[in-house]
Amino acid sequence: MSDDAPARTGRRTGDSTTRDEILAAARKLFSQSGFAKSSMRAIATEAGVDVALVSYYFGSKRGLFAAAMAIPGDPVARVTAAIEGPRDQLGTRLITAFTTLWESDDAGPALHTMLRSAANDEGAAKAFGGFASDEMMPILSETVGLSEETVRAVASCIFGLALMRYLVGAPAFTSMTTQEIIDDFGPRIQAIIDL
Amino acid sequence: MSDDAPARTGRRTGDSTTRDEILAAARKLFSQSGFAKSSMRAIATEAGVDVALVSYYFGSKRGLFAAAMAIPGDPVARVTAAIEGPRDQLGTRLITAFTTLWESDDAGPALHTMLRSAANDEGAAKAFGGFASDEMMPILSETVGLSEETVRAVASCIFGLALMRYLVGAPAFTSMTTQEIIDDFGPRIQAIIDL
């Protein structure tokens, strides 16, 4: 049973199985082909259901990916929310949104697992790499008008921090409080944005 | 047999075994305690040899770490060399040194393995995290006079690039030539340095 499953229709076991089958199909296709090349339709076909049912359960491909990767909430929505506000504080808002997400009780463990998987498993790497390249990074380019080159460097700083602080646990990164990380990285990401 | 073993003294098998035993002891201690807390003396004791013999074979703890992690050459020396020169081009020299190292035929595969291990294995994470925190990053602080906060952000950008380009293989990062990466990241790392 899942909180976000639709209202029961009587075929209780059937519904739960359908949702799980869509998630399994999504994980398979995201792993095989990456995020961009795995269409909602192809995932529906793989799961043996109508594409409308995929939308019904997961809303969007992004929502489906989050569910397939078991990331609670909607990380993209949180980043999108962080983008709003004065441009000269964008660096601080971005690093605050990411560290808060990474250190949250709901999304944090799933994000750690996803990054660890991506560093190890070719399928998870394709899914995560495609998601970052095709979904997360274009939001920054399109919404705030940053160049792709700038977004690449900003994303590198954020993912490098995640690698060193959460995965590797390097003392130079774990010895900081979250607020110190935000105070340090905010102006430095801003310097990249303002270049 | 190894190219950097000392001249044979007659006890051929003995020499080769000693070097291997020191390396095994180093890997064990680096993994258990991290880079900083694993003294040359402790490694010598673990291997059952005199500490002078460790210096004789590997020169420094850094050299021993590189040998233990099977990174050919001396990555720290290459980064140190990159630091020399005009301050306003430091960003470009650093990213050039790192991408050249990461994409080299000799050190590249070992670095990929080391980063992948560090993302997975607690022992390798301790060794790599400690090496980055205690050896690589202080060089930038001390030699060029960058603040620890600046070095942390510069290192994040470089490690994030390594993660996304070499480990994850995200399309937004693998679609670039090495020169494009250098052209993109050089000025952006410089912006962090100049902040």
Side-chain angles (χ1 to χ4, degrees):
Chain A
M1 281 179 60
S2 170
D3 289 343
D4 53 345
R8 299 300 178 195
T9 59
R11 293 193 304 119
R12 179 174 179 145
T13 312
D15 281 349
S16 178
T17 305
T18 301
R19 190 176 185 280
D20 290 345
E21 280 170 359
I22 296 169
L23 284 175
R27 286 191 197 97
K28 183 177 171 188
L29 291 198
F30 285 143
S31 294
Q32 281 178 354
S33 315
F35 183 79
K37 289 183 184 161
S38 304
S39 68
M40 295 277 271
R41 187 165 300 279
I43 290 166
T45 303
E46 175 72 28
V49 301
D50 191 273
V51 67
L53 206 56
V54 180
S55 299
Y56 177 65
Y57 275 99
F58 301 100
S60 62
K61 192 160 85 167
R62 176 214 300 172
L64 177 56
F65 179 82
M69 294 292 118
I71 303 171
D74 187 336
V76 174
R78 300 205 209 182
V79 174
T80 308
I83 288 172
E84 291 178 15
R87 166 90 172 223
D88 64 357
Q89 294 291 323
L90 179 57
T92 295
R93 287 200 308 283
L94 281 177
I95 194 67
T96 303
F98 273 103
T99 51
T100 304
L101 191 63
W102 278 89
E103 295 175 16
S104 67
D105 287 337
D106 62 339
L111 285 165
H112 294 198
T113 303
M114 186 181 68
L115 189 60
R116 197 174 295 278
S117 304
N120 277 288
D121 173 78
E122 205 182 329
K126 259 192 200 165
F128 171 68
F131 182 64
S133 298
D134 304 325
E135 190 78 2
M136 297 288 274
M137 292 166 62
I139 293 177
L140 280 172
S141 311
E142 289 156 19
T143 313
V144 203
L146 300 180
S147 71
E148 282 181 33
E149 293 75 16
T150 296
V151 172
R152 200 153 29 225
V154 169
S156 291
C157 279
I158 289 171
F159 287 129
L161 169 67
L163 171 75
M164 298 304 280
R165 182 170 170 89
Y166 306 123
L167 250 61
V168 170
F173 293 85
T174 54
S175 60
M176 317 288 293
T177 64
T178 306
Q179 191 57 52
E180 284 170 336
I181 289 284
I182 291 169
D183 292 344
D184 282 359
F185 276 76
R188 290 172 175 85
I189 291 176
Q190 191 67 41
I192 296 175
I193 291 170
D194 291 341
L195 180 68
Chain B
M1 279 179 63
S2 169
D3 288 345
D4 53 344
R8 300 301 177 192
T9 59
R11 292 194 303 122
R12 178 174 181 147
T13 312
D15 280 349
S16 178
T17 303
T18 300
R19 191 177 185 280
D20 290 344
E21 280 169 0
I22 296 169
L23 283 176
R27 285 190 198 99
K28 183 178 171 187
L29 291 198
F30 284 143
S31 293
Q32 281 177 355
S33 316
F35 183 79
K37 290 182 182 162
S38 305
S39 69
M40 294 277 271
R41 187 165 299 279
I43 290 166
T45 304
E46 174 73 30
V49 302
D50 191 274
V51 68
L53 205 56
V54 180
S55 298
Y56 176 65
Y57 276 101
F58 301 101
S60 61
K61 193 159 85 169
R62 176 215 299 174
L64 176 56
F65 179 82
M69 296 290 118
I71 304 171
D74 187 337
V76 175
R78 299 203 209 182
V79 174
T80 308
I83 288 172
E84 290 178 15
R87 166 91 173 223
D88 63 358
Q89 295 289 322
L90 180 56
T92 295
R93 287 201 307 282
L94 281 176
I95 193 67
T96 304
F98 274 102
T99 51
T100 304
L101 191 63
W102 279 89
E103 294 175 16
S104 67
D105 288 336
D106 62 341
L111 285 165
H112 293 199
T113 302
M114 186 182 67
L115 189 59
R116 198 174 293 279
S117 303
N120 277 291
D121 174 78
E122 205 181 331
K126 260 192 198 164
F128 171 69
F131 182 66
S133 297
D134 304 326
E135 190 79 2
M136 296 291 272
M137 292 166 61
I139 293 176
L140 281 172
S141 310
E142 290 157 17
T143 315
V144 203
L146 300 180
S147 71
E148 281 181 34
E149 293 75 17
T150 297
V151 172
R152 200 153 28 224
V154 168
S156 291
C157 278
I158 289 171
F159 287 129
L161 170 67
L163 171 74
M164 297 305 280
R165 182 171 169 88
Y166 306 123
L167 250 60
V168 170
F173 293 85
T174 54
S175 60
M176 317 288 294
T177 65
T178 305
Q179 191 56 52
E180 285 170 333
I181 289 284
I182 292 168
D183 292 344
D184 282 0
F185 276 76
R188 289 172 176 85
I189 290 175
Q190 191 67 41
I192 295 175
I193 293 169
D194 291 341
L195 179 69

